[in-house]
């Protein structure tokens, strides 16, 4: 399973390095989302700071949808989905490999977006630990659930519009917990609040969807 | 193993439509079977069913000793398919595509270079992104994948399409070598002049069933086992 995961992740990341779709299209899109929100909130820094954590995670979610769509678009061309099924790769390995490749891309996007939050909203990160754990757990959770729903939507003709419809409601806990954890880390949340319960929620979310993905990706791939 | 492929009253559905309507087919190890028939007759469906990509909803289907109704995916690593699509990633170059396919199927990577040389993908072409290749060159890459993987069952769907005369001759040589090494070949084709010289047996399909069958054993090496059921729709 792990060998297959490394093989699939390496293939997806090599394709991204060549095509640079995430770097040249998804990343600018996510930055533009942040900038537009900044314009919409006006020149006053207080509401921008208050909204910074939530807007960071909204931009991450939008970018994650695009990254998942791109990941499964690779398998929609020239019969590559059948090629992947015929290869005999362990479905759990395919799931982990695709989730790992999406995670790497999301981490790059989150670094850029964190810079955007500091630049556009004037935010100061007070707890780097909370930010890092929230990003790591949120990324793993988004990649896992995105890979699952990406596979589910892959066999449907209207997959481009179906995927956001399916995915965004399911990842609401990541948006909620990530926002609260970041509010604590940026010092913009309710006084005395702790990031720990929100970080635990994100870790549980990631663990559950990674486990579910390993178990059901095979049947999902066959049914899609 | 008496038969490489054994389908008995096999039915496969796409939606509610029976693309295989109770087909009986037996193919011996080392045999080259050509499937012919009009568009929509069920040739590609037979190949996809044998690859475990199309579910058998009733009847029996055993391929290389694997019961496809119990576990269709078990056979896949032993099967190589050259379909209408080449199943290649446009952004990866030729070597990367072949290496990924061979490693994914747990094949021997030392087969890759000889296979690429054999199909004429040498020099700068090896490092060219597949998306920049012509249709014929993409077909050669897909053929190199099959050659390097060395599957026990070759499923070829219109394999001569987009190939020039040299590549067609090469394909014939490669098929004969694979059969000599013990592989079984199912070949769907609309080009009898290209496919029949390779065949031990020819079956004609219509409406998801076999409607005619003839042996060409007198023209080619005798298959190890031939089942001569003839079904008329």
């Amino acid at each position: 399973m792990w060998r297959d995961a490394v093989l699939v992740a390496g293939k997806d990341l090599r394709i991204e390095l060549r095509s640079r779709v995430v770097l040249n299209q998804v990343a600018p899109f996510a930055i533009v989302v942040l900038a537009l929100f900044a314009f919409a909130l006006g020149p006053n820094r207080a509401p921008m700071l208050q909204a910074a954590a939530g807007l960071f995670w909204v931009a991450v979610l939008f970018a994650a949808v695009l990254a998942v769509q791109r990941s499964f678009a690779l398998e929609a061309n020239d019969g590559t989905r059948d090629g992947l099924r015929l290869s005999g790769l362990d479905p759990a390995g395919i799931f982990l490999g695709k989730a790992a490749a999406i995670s790497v891309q999301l981490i790059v996007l989150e670094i850029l977006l964190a810079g955007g939050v500091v630049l556009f909203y004037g935010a100061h990160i007070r707890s780097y630990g909370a930010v890092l754990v929230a990003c790591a757990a949120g990324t793993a959770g988004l990649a896992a659930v995105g890979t699952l729903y990406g596979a589910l939507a892959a066999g449907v003709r209207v997959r481009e519009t179906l995927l956001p419809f399916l995915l965004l409601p399911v990842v609401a806990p990541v948006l909620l917990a990530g926002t609260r954890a970041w509010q604590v880390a940026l010092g913009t949340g309710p006084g005395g609040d702790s990031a720990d319960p929100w970080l635990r929620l994100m870790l549980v979310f990631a663990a559950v969807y990674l486990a579910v993905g390993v178990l059901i990706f095979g049947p999902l791939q066959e049914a899609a | 193993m008496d038969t490489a492929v054994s389908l008995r009253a096999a039915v496969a559905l796409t939606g509610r439509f029976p693309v295989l309507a109770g087909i009986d087919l037996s193919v011996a190890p080392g045999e080259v079977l050509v499937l012919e028939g009009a568009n929509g007759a069920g040739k590609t469906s037979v190949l996809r069913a044998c690859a475990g990509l199309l579910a058998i909803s009733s009847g029996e289907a055993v391929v290389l000793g694997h019961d496809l109704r119990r576990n269709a995916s078990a056979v896949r690593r032993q099967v190589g398919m050259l379909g209408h699509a080449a199943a290649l990633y446009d952004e990866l170059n030729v070597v990367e595509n072949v290496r990924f396919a061979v490693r994914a199927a747990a094949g021997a990577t030392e087969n890759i270079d000889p296979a690429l040389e054999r199909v004429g993908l040498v020099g700068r072409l090896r490092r060219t992104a597949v998306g920049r290749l012509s249709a014929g060159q993409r077909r050669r890459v897909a053929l190199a994948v099959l050659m390097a993987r060395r599957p026990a069952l070759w499923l070829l769907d219109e394999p001569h399409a987009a190939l020039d005369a040299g590549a067609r001759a090469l394909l014939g040589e490669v098929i004969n070598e694979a059969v000599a090494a013990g592989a079984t070949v199912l070949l769907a084709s609309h080009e009898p002049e290209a496919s029949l010289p390779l065949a031990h047996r020819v079956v004609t399909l219509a409406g998801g069933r076999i409607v005619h069958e003839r042996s060409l054993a007198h023209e080619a090496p005798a298959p190890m086992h031939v089942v001569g059921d003839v079904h008329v729709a």
Side-chain angles (χ1 to χ4, degrees):
Chain A
M1 177 177 81
W2 298 110
R3 185 200 77 97
D4 292 350
V6 169
L7 195 61
V8 171
K11 182 262 294 176
D12 279 9
L13 288 173
R14 187 170 286 119
I15 290 174
E16 170 52 25
L17 279 175
R18 298 276 160 73
S19 64
R20 296 175 185 262
V21 169
V22 170
L23 204 60
N24 291 346
Q25 293 175 28
V26 180
F29 164 77
I31 295 288
V32 165
V33 168
L34 270 192
L36 287 177
F37 277 127
F39 290 139
L41 290 168
N44 193 342
R45 279 189 63 180
M48 285 205 291
L49 266 178
Q50 199 69 34
L55 297 181
F56 169 84
W57 283 102
V58 167
V60 169
L61 292 191
F62 287 163
V65 170
L66 295 180
V68 169
Q69 278 183 333
R70 169 64 182 160
S71 176
F72 283 90
L74 298 178
E75 314 300 345
N77 296 329
D78 197 28
T80 46
R81 193 161 72 96
D82 278 348
L84 210 56
R85 289 168 71 198
L86 262 181
S87 66
L89 286 168
D90 184 346
I94 297 174
F95 167 76
L96 289 174
K98 292 199 89 66
I102 291 169
S103 294
V104 170
Q105 295 166 33
L106 284 181
I107 286 168
V108 173
L109 289 169
E110 285 165 14
I111 291 169
L112 293 171
L113 287 170
V117 164
V118 171
L119 186 71
F120 296 134
Y121 303 157
H124 295 286
I125 298 172
R126 296 179 182 181
S127 171
Y128 282 94
V131 163
L132 290 176
V133 174
C135 284
T139 298
L142 288 175
V145 73
T147 304
L148 267 181
Y149 280 86
L152 187 68
V156 183
R157 282 181 192 167
V158 291
R159 55 182 168 270
E160 291 84 3
T161 46
L162 182 66
L163 182 65
F165 179 69
L166 291 176
L167 187 58
L168 289 175
V170 178
V171 295
V174 174
L175 177 66
L176 172 68
T179 299
R180 297 303 295 269
W182 264 59
Q183 282 178 333
V184 174
L186 298 178
T188 58
D193 204 355
S194 165
D196 289 352
W198 303 110
L199 295 176
R200 275 199 290 273
L201 174 62
M202 295 177 86
L203 288 167
V204 168
F205 182 93
V208 166
Y209 272 100
L210 282 168
V212 168
V214 165
L215 290 174
I216 72 164
F217 191 78
L220 208 59
Q221 195 183 26
E222 294 301 314
Chain B
M1 191 167 56
D2 288 340
T3 56
V5 175
S6 175
L7 305 179
R8 290 278 169 261
V11 174
L13 304 173
T14 298
R16 290 184 176 181
F17 181 75
V19 287
L20 296 181
I23 195 168
D24 290 305
L25 178 68
S26 189
V27 186
E31 186 177 3
V32 179
L33 178 77
V34 167
L35 305 167
E36 60 179 22
N39 292 333
K43 305 185 295 296
T44 300
S45 298
V46 169
L47 299 182
R48 288 179 61 80
C50 290
L53 293 174
L54 177 64
I56 300 294
S57 55
S58 71
E60 295 176 17
V62 178
V63 175
L64 301 174
H66 299 281
D67 184 343
L68 298 187
R69 292 203 67 194
R70 282 187 177 181
N71 185 2
S73 60
V75 76
R76 289 177 187 163
R77 206 157 249 181
Q78 295 170 265
V79 167
M81 189 163 182
L82 181 59
H84 294 289
L88 302 169
Y89 296 97
D90 283 353
E91 294 85 354
L92 298 183
N93 67 34
V94 169
V95 177
E96 288 167 341
N97 264 293
V98 179
R99 189 182 294 133
F100 174 75
V102 171
R103 290 180 66 193
T109 50
E110 58 265 26
N111 296 337
I112 294 173
D113 285 342
L116 288 174
E117 282 178 29
R118 188 82 191 278
V119 299
L121 293 168
V122 293
R124 206 176 56 182
L125 273 177
R126 287 167 53 94
R127 301 286 167 193
T128 302
V130 161
R132 299 178 64 184
L133 298 180
S134 70
Q137 287 172 322
R138 293 170 72 92
R139 208 75 172 157
R140 285 173 184 253
V141 180
L143 181 59
V145 169
L146 275 185
M147 292 165 65
R149 277 186 58 188
R150 298 184 180 173
L153 177 62
W154 292 45
L155 302 170
L156 309 175
D157 196 358
E158 302 292 352
H160 300 99
L163 292 181
D164 58 29
R168 284 172 175 235
L170 173 66
L171 177 65
E173 287 174 23
V174 168
I175 289 173
N176 285 331
E177 287 169 12
V179 171
T184 306
V185 178
L186 269 67
L187 193 162
S189 179
H190 285 296
E191 300 182 64
E193 70 283 3
S195 59
L196 293 188
L198 304 167
H200 297 151
R201 194 156 53 105
V202 180
V203 296
T204 306
L205 291 112
R209 291 180 180 162
I210 294 175
V211 294
H212 186 257
E213 178 174 333
R214 67 186 193 275
S215 174
L216 302 177
H218 60 285
E219 297 172 21
M224 293 168 71
H225 177 72
V226 175
V227 175
D229 294 345
V230 176
H231 301 268
V232 178

